[in-house]
Amino acid sequence: MLFVTGGIGFIGANFVLDWLSMSNQSIINLDKMTYAGNRQNLITLEGDARHHFVQGDIGDKSLIEQLFRDYRPHTVINFAAESHVDRSIHGPGEFIQTNIVGTFNLLETTRIYWQALPEDEKTAFRFLHVSTDEVYGSLKPDDDPFTEQNRYEPNSPYSASKAASDHLVRAYHHTYGLPVLTTNCSNNYGPYQFPEKLIPLVIANALAGKPLPIYGDGMQVRDWLYVGDHCSAIRRVLEAGKVGEVYNIGGWNEMPNIEIVNTICTLLDELRPDPAGPYARLITYVKDRPGHDRRYAINARKIERELGWRPAETFQTGIRKTVQWYLDNQDWVQHVLSGEYRNWVDQNYASR
């Protein structure tokens, strides 16, 4: 059995759906159900005996101990994290608590459970920690993409908290021998992403005829990874990754934010034309956020070379699938556009 934390959120939910679509191995899914957690993400698993959902916090040691006793998982996959840079700027405390203290609690509880396993089960056990390319800091336009050897230079409370969690995972391997794997991914996009992030925010605002806010000059560059490709990479790392190693996962899709927004507008013009005119008319430049990293880019040669993984989607195929999914799932979108979400948008953008 797999023990997945944060499996109701964007990437975690996609992984759970992906895993159960091709495996009969059951999943215990622990999620705190914060604003970004949505049970509707996994509505298709209602009544599926392979999926066991528990609402709870990775910082709750007694709960995690109970889940280890009850389910005896052979793998832990840690998706649980506060993950939005803007929110970390407004309220860093939650990021420290979840991403650092929570990861420590999960590691410590896992260590105690793992050390008591029979030797063959100890050898087969894995703890996979899902992290981000933002721990490496920012790249200049001509810099080489991040490799696993880049030093950590986090620039936001979010990335600093994730960097700390990565270091804890490494320390638990080198100090205690816990069989860990770490993945550092680039910007994900795809179905079920909470619309505070760029791509679903632009889609939702465009369909509502609202401004499409672009930070600064819109030339911040990111490497975009379709979430389905991320899930397949995690599966591959679990299958064949070397214990103690770090694997960077990227989509080989570097492009500036303004190009992303224009691409979405063009797709919406084709798939859901607006009688008022092209969606690009809604693009609005707003004040940049503090400490905004200029460029991220992942060199994913290690996972390709050692594990034979490459993304299946180009950005063109992935973004079309994503836009179509949001058009086809407007009930889901409207459900998450709650009062809390509207309050967040007002807080983050009103003064820009």
Side-chain angles (χ1 to χ4, degrees):
M1 175 173 283
L2 273 69
F3 182 5
V4 172
T5 69
I8 294 290
F10 165 47
I11 302 175
N14 274 280
F15 178 83
V16 168
L17 291 168
D18 179 76
W19 181 271
L20 293 178
S21 73
M22 58 185 65
S23 172
N24 283 321
Q25 283 196 54
S26 297
I27 288 177
I28 175 69
N29 183 353
L30 177 69
D31 197 292
K32 191 177 178 180
M33 291 292 291
T34 61
Y35 70 93
N38 185 353
R39 288 296 297 271
Q40 287 197 346
N41 293 355
L42 300 181
I43 193 70
T44 58
L45 298 180
E46 290 292 333
D48 191 326
R50 299 172 302 164
H51 181 242
H52 308 266
F53 174 72
V54 175
Q55 183 171 350
D57 191 341
I58 60 172
D60 186 341
K61 285 187 177 181
S62 61
L63 173 60
I64 295 173
E65 288 169 353
Q66 184 64 50
L67 294 176
F68 276 131
R69 285 195 298 268
D70 291 348
Y71 293 98
R72 295 189 61 80
H74 56 72
T75 300
V76 175
I77 307 177
N78 183 31
F79 293 101
E82 297 286 347
S83 66
H84 193 219
V85 174
D86 287 328
R87 287 182 184 263
S88 80
I89 293 169
H90 288 283
E94 292 181 15
F95 288 73
I96 304 304
Q97 192 62 40
T98 297
N99 298 353
I100 302 177
V101 179
T103 299
F104 161 71
N105 286 330
L106 181 62
L107 281 165
E108 180 63 6
T109 311
T110 302
R111 176 185 69 82
I112 295 168
Y113 166 75
W114 169 75
Q115 287 181 329
L117 290 173
E119 201 59 38
D120 59 335
E121 293 182 34
K122 285 182 70 175
T123 301
F125 188 88
R126 294 292 183 271
F127 182 106
L128 192 151
H129 177 64
V130 180
S131 191
T132 171
D133 60 356
E134 296 190 38
V135 298
Y136 298 122
S138 182
L139 291 169
K140 296 176 182 177
D142 296 328
D143 286 345
D144 291 334
F146 299 127
T147 72
E148 291 81 358
Q149 281 70 49
N150 273 80
R151 68 180 184 182
Y152 277 27
E153 295 182 334
N155 292 321
S156 71
Y158 161 61
S159 57
S161 66
K162 288 298 289 183
S165 70
D166 292 5
H167 291 321
L168 283 169
V169 171
R170 174 185 169 87
Y172 266 68
H173 172 64
H174 285 274
T175 302
Y176 304 110
L178 187 68
V180 305
L181 299 155
T182 299
T183 58
N184 293 86
C185 68
S186 58
N187 278 37
N188 279 225
Y189 68 99
Y192 303 109
Q193 188 169 27
F194 193 76
E196 64 188 358
K197 301 295 179 74
L198 177 65
I199 287 175
L201 173 68
V202 168
I203 297 170
N205 278 19
L207 294 175
K210 296 179 179 179
L212 310 181
I214 307 297
Y215 283 144
D217 61 4
M219 294 304 294
Q220 301 87 359
V221 173
R222 301 292 183 262
D223 171 26
W224 294 90
L225 174 66
Y226 187 66
V227 68
D229 282 329
H230 189 189
C231 293
S232 73
I234 291 172
R235 290 201 317 272
R236 184 61 186 147
V237 171
L238 280 176
E239 290 168 354
K242 183 179 177 182
V243 168
E245 290 291 310
V246 176
Y247 296 92
N248 283 352
I249 304 171
W252 301 107
N253 292 307
E254 271 193 77
M255 58 187 68
N257 287 346
I258 188 61
E259 185 176 341
I260 299 293
V261 175
N262 278 311
T263 298
I264 294 169
C265 289
T266 300
L267 280 170
L268 288 174
D269 288 338
E270 172 194 341
L271 299 171
R272 187 71 59 84
D274 184 349
Y279 287 99
R281 76 186 192 281
L282 300 171
I283 291 175
T284 304
Y285 291 89
V286 300
K287 183 181 178 182
D288 209 350
R289 72 183 179 205
H292 200 172
D293 289 336
R294 195 63 174 172
R295 174 176 169 244
Y296 307 137
I298 281 285
N299 180 329
R301 294 297 182 200
K302 178 179 177 179
I303 190 173
E304 178 182 354
R305 180 179 65 253
E306 297 186 8
L307 305 184
W309 178 88
R310 278 189 64 87
E313 302 291 343
T314 65
F315 185 74
Q316 290 69 30
T317 61
I319 194 63
R320 179 174 287 272
K321 287 181 178 181
T322 300
V323 170
Q324 190 64 62
W325 187 89
Y326 281 94
L327 290 175
D328 293 342
N329 290 274
Q330 281 297 295
D331 287 346
W332 181 91
V333 174
Q334 294 308 313
H335 178 79
V336 300
L337 297 181
S338 64
E340 192 279 338
Y341 171 73
R342 289 193 296 272
N343 291 340
W344 157 250
V345 171
D346 290 342
Q347 177 189 18
N348 192 55
Y349 291 104
S351 62
R352 294 187 186 277

